[in-house]
């Protein structure tokens, strides 16, 4: 477990977004255009576009032996999650619990390659158009401008939008779209429909969040045939330039599913289903051995799960993580110091994280409508750190869940809170005997008020599920029997928590 060191007064709160679980649709294929029709970008399945110059540059980068050592470097990438709902709050795509489960699957899917992610936050987007009516298929004249998501995009993060339904269909399946990379591959925005959210062991879901984030990182489908319409040879002789460009992923006959009828693509009647067709590679061979369990394949639609990526695919994304500006802006340096004097943010965004230690120095103040996330293996908030966001503001201090190396410190003390729901303080502070605990409720609430030691040992239960009215409240705590030290006061309404520090000096 990781640690966050608290060394100054601040209030913390976790906002738990509760949303109903609703069923969505399955991700299909859409026909591809060739690179000749789109000189810079080519349309890909499910509304994707591929920046082929960037992909080719990455392939050239990894072919240089001097760059291979960079594949050993760890990456910590910030990801921000958005739960879309209709304007009136109906049809929420997912719950917070589901998002957290998707995030845990994302961590597991990339962990073996030293790629880790920081959950930089979760919010709600109230927009009916984006939640239920966004048309993502660029091959259809009804498709919508992907820039509609820009007002909700958090900078310096990969943004995952969970939507109830993505409009669009394709000639291959006639179904809807379960996921889409918005703005291109590589990129920083992707969509996942509610029907493609669920346990990674469920074949009908296909680890879609991990799949779409893979597109953001520059991974393309194993069956890719858009790069000039070049199909991959079964013998692997053109594997570096065709298909997904990874030599350790075999040629995938799934690319033939969009061939004109009668299609050569067939599957068996058993589950999981296997390729049983007469498709031919460019050399006329038909003995395909598809990458059934690959994360960037579509064989999950035929019963395969526990999907993974290969070292060759990882080698494809590493160059982009090394020099692509948009992705670099989402990554974490080894150590970060925030402040070094006076640092104040009253509006806008501050997404900061470190592979090892993020610390503050001097006076660091987050207030107003500022939205900030401070993350890392260790987050050290030193004296001078203050977080007093107003309505619309949010400050999140969060330890990462990475396991790059045992050299990083660990602790059983974790604070992982958002600092915006309750206003709570103590005075005098420091105090000797009596401490006044003052807090404000913005609605009638049943609250719990507790006092803890720095090791989170319970000192006193003040209120248990007590109904209190909107407004300011005060409780005077008799601390005469407690020794000098630092204590924490916690207030909770069952969904949201807040902490403040209480210092006793005898």
């Amino acid at each position: 477990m990781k640690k966050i060191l608290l060394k100054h007064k601040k209030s913390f709160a976790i906002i738990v977004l509760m949303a109903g679980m609703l069923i969505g649709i399955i991700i299909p294929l859409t026909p591809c255009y060739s690179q000749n029709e789109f000189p810079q970008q080519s349309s890909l399945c499910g509304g994707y576009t591929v920046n082929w110059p960037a992909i080719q540059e990455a392939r050239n980068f990894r072919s240089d032996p001097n760059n291979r050592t960079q594949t050993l470097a760890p990456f910590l990438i910030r990801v921000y999650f958005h739960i879309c709902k209709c304007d009136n709050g109906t049809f929420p795509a997912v719950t917070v619990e589901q998002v957290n489960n998707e995030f845990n699957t994302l961590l597991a899917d990339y962990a073996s390659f030293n790629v880790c992610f920081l959950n930089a936050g979760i919010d709600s987007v109230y927009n009916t158009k984006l939640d239920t009516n966004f048309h993502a298929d660029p091959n259809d004249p009804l498709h919508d401008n992907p820039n509609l998501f820009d007002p909700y995009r958090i900078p310096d993060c990969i943004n995952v939008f969970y939507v109830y339904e993505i409009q669009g269909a394709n000639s291959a399946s006639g179904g809807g779209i379960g996921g889409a990379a918005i703005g291109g591959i590589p990129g920083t925005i992707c969509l996942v429909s509610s029907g493609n959210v669920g346990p990674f062991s469920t074949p009908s879901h296909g680890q879609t969040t991990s799949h779409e984030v893979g597109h953001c990182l520059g991974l393309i489908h194993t069956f890719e045939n858009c790069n000039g319409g070049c199909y991959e040879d079964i013998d692997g002789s053109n594997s570096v330039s065709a298909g997904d460009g990874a030599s350790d992923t075999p040629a995938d006959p799934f690319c033939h599913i969009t061939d004109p009828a009668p299609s050569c693509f067939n599957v068996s009647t058993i589950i999981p289903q296997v390729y049983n067709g007469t498709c031919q590679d460019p050399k006329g061979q038909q003995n395909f051995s598809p990458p059934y369990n690959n994360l960037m394949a579509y064989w999950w639609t035929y019963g395969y799960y526990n999907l993974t990526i290969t070292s060759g695919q990882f080698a494809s994304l590493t160059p982009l993580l090394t020099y692509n500006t948009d992705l670099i802006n989402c990554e974490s340096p080894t150590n970060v110091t925030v402040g070094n004097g006076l640092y104040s943010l009253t509006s806008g965004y501050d997404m900061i994280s470190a592979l090892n230690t993020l610390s503050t120095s001097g006076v660091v103040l987050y207030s107003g409508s500022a939205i900030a996330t401070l993350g890392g293996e260790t987050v050290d908030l030193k004296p001078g750190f203050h977080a007093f966001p107003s309505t619309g503001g949010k400050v999140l201090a969060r330890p990462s869940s990475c396991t790059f190396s045992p050299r990083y410190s660990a602790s059983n003390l974790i604070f992982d809170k958002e600092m915006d729901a309750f206003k709570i303080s103590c005075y005098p502070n420091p105090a000797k005997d009596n401490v006044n605990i003052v807090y404000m409720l913005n609605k009638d609430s049943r609250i719990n008020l507790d006092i803890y030691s720095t090791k989170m040992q319970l000192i006193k239960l003040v209120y248990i599920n007590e109904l209190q009215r909107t407004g300011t409240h005060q409780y005077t705590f008799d601390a005469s029997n407690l020794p000098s030290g630092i204590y924490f006061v916690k207030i909770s309404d069952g969904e949201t928590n807040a902490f403040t520090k209480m210092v006793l000096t005898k």
Side-chain angles (χ1 to χ4, degrees):
M1 300 178 72
K2 314 301 184 289
K3 64 181 177 181
I4 291 182
L5 307 179
L6 306 176
K7 300 184 179 178
H8 195 73
K9 177 179 178 179
K10 50 198 172 293
S11 59
F12 288 85
I14 300 177
I15 295 181
V16 180
L17 307 173
M18 298 306 296
M21 179 178 178
L22 297 171
I23 302 300
I25 51 179
I26 302 301
I27 195 169
L29 293 169
T30 52
C32 296
Y33 291 129
S34 71
Q35 189 175 7
N36 293 332
E37 293 174 277
F38 293 85
Q40 295 301 318
Q41 295 181 328
S42 59
S43 178
L44 193 65
C45 310
Y48 305 92
T49 56
V50 179
N51 185 340
W52 286 112
I55 298 297
Q56 187 56 52
E57 188 176 0
R59 291 173 177 176
N60 295 337
F61 182 94
R62 78 170 190 253
S63 67
D64 184 346
N66 294 325
N67 295 327
R68 291 177 183 171
T69 57
Q70 299 192 43
T71 62
L72 302 176
F75 296 94
L76 175 60
I77 302 167
R78 292 180 294 274
V79 182
Y80 209 97
F81 299 97
H82 308 271
I83 299 176
C84 291
K85 307 175 183 179
C86 289
D87 295 340
N88 61 2
T90 59
F91 293 99
V94 290
T95 66
V96 169
E97 181 181 9
Q98 287 176 298
V99 173
N100 289 330
N101 290 336
E102 293 288 293
F103 177 69
N104 290 334
T105 299
L106 178 67
L107 289 176
D109 286 342
Y110 291 87
S112 60
F113 295 104
N114 257 8
V115 176
C116 189
F117 300 92
L118 178 75
N119 183 344
I122 303 173
D123 65 15
S124 290
V125 173
Y126 294 86
N127 188 313
T128 300
K129 173 66 175 177
L130 302 185
D131 188 36
T132 62
N133 293 317
F134 181 80
H135 201 299
D137 186 357
N139 302 324
D140 192 303
L142 296 176
H143 80 275
D144 293 303
N145 190 331
N147 294 336
L148 291 173
F149 290 90
D150 284 348
Y152 307 99
R153 182 176 65 86
I154 305 298
D156 301 327
C157 296
I158 290 177
N159 288 251
V160 180
F161 288 84
Y162 291 99
V163 300
Y164 178 66
E165 184 175 4
I166 306 172
Q167 297 296 326
N170 71 64
S171 59
S173 69
I177 296 175
I182 298 297
I185 299 173
T188 59
I189 298 180
C190 63
L191 314 182
V192 178
S193 75
S194 60
N196 282 62
V197 173
F200 72 92
S201 59
T202 304
S204 62
H205 294 146
Q207 293 160 257
T208 305
T209 298
S210 298
H211 178 102
E212 299 303 335
V213 170
H215 282 315
C216 286
L217 299 180
L219 294 179
I220 56 180
H221 292 138
T222 56
F223 52 88
E224 176 58 54
N225 63 2
C226 294
N227 190 6
C230 182
Y231 287 71
E232 187 173 354
D233 295 334
I234 291 174
D235 64 14
S237 57
N238 67 344
S239 60
V240 175
S241 59
D244 63 355
S247 58
D248 58 356
T249 57
D252 193 343
F254 218 98
C255 60
H256 292 280
I257 200 169
T258 57
D259 288 353
S263 176
C264 62
F265 184 89
N266 298 290
V267 292
S268 69
T269 57
I270 63 172
I271 297 293
Q273 298 178 348
V274 298
Y275 166 74
N276 181 20
T278 59
C279 303
Q280 293 186 358
D281 73 356
K283 294 182 177 180
Q285 299 299 308
Q286 299 178 349
N287 56 324
F288 284 96
S289 298
Y292 292 119
N293 296 103
N294 195 278
L295 182 64
M296 304 311 296
Y298 267 11
W299 287 93
W300 57 267
T301 62
Y302 294 106
Y304 293 88
Y305 55 97
N306 289 327
L307 310 177
T308 62
I309 62 174
T310 68
S311 58
Q313 289 172 303
F314 173 68
S316 298
L317 65 84
T318 301
L320 292 168
L321 292 175
T322 303
Y323 69 75
N324 182 274
T325 301
D326 289 339
L327 294 179
I328 289 174
N329 290 339
C330 302
E331 298 168 17
S332 311
T334 303
N335 296 293
V336 175
T337 299
V338 181
N340 288 323
L342 175 61
Y343 183 86
S344 176
L345 188 71
T346 59
S347 63
Y349 300 93
D350 216 8
M351 299 287 127
I352 310 174
S353 57
L355 281 168
N356 191 354
T357 300
L358 182 149
S359 60
T360 62
S361 176
V363 176
V364 176
L365 172 61
Y366 290 102
S367 60
S369 61
I371 296 177
T373 295
L374 307 177
E377 185 79 7
T378 297
V379 179
D380 188 356
L381 305 178
K382 295 180 177 176
F385 175 85
H386 305 266
F388 301 111
S390 60
T391 302
K394 182 167 57 178
V395 180
L396 173 64
R398 171 158 291 174
S400 68
S401 301
C402 305
T403 55
F404 296 133
S405 168
R407 70 178 180 274
Y408 295 132
S409 58
S411 169
N412 60 1
L413 175 60
I414 290 181
F415 285 98
D416 185 2
K417 313 297 178 206
E418 292 180 3
M419 312 169 197
D420 65 343
F422 291 106
K423 301 300 182 184
I424 183 170
S425 61
C426 297
Y427 76 92
N429 200 11
K432 182 177 181 181
D433 295 319
N434 293 330
V435 181
N436 297 303
I437 301 170
V438 180
Y439 54 94
M440 184 178 67
L441 304 179
N442 56 18
K443 63 180 180 179
D444 293 355
S445 307
R446 288 192 177 275
I447 69 162
N448 299 300
L449 187 65
D450 315 311
I451 300 173
Y452 294 87
S453 72
T454 55
K455 295 183 178 180
M456 296 309 292
Q457 296 173 327
L458 181 64
I459 302 298
K460 182 176 178 61
L461 293 173
V462 179
Y463 298 129
I464 302 175
N465 198 34
E466 178 165 314
L467 178 62
Q468 296 191 356
R469 301 301 181 187
T470 303
T472 301
H473 300 259
Q474 177 174 312
Y475 172 80
T476 300
F477 173 59
D478 181 3
S480 58
N481 294 326
L482 291 178
S484 299
I486 297 175
Y487 300 84
F488 293 100
V489 182
K490 173 188 175 184
I491 187 172
S492 170
D493 64 359
E495 293 185 355
T496 302
N497 305 304
F499 288 79
T500 192
K501 186 168 64 175
M502 178 177 69
V503 179
L504 300 181
T505 58
K506 302 294 184 176

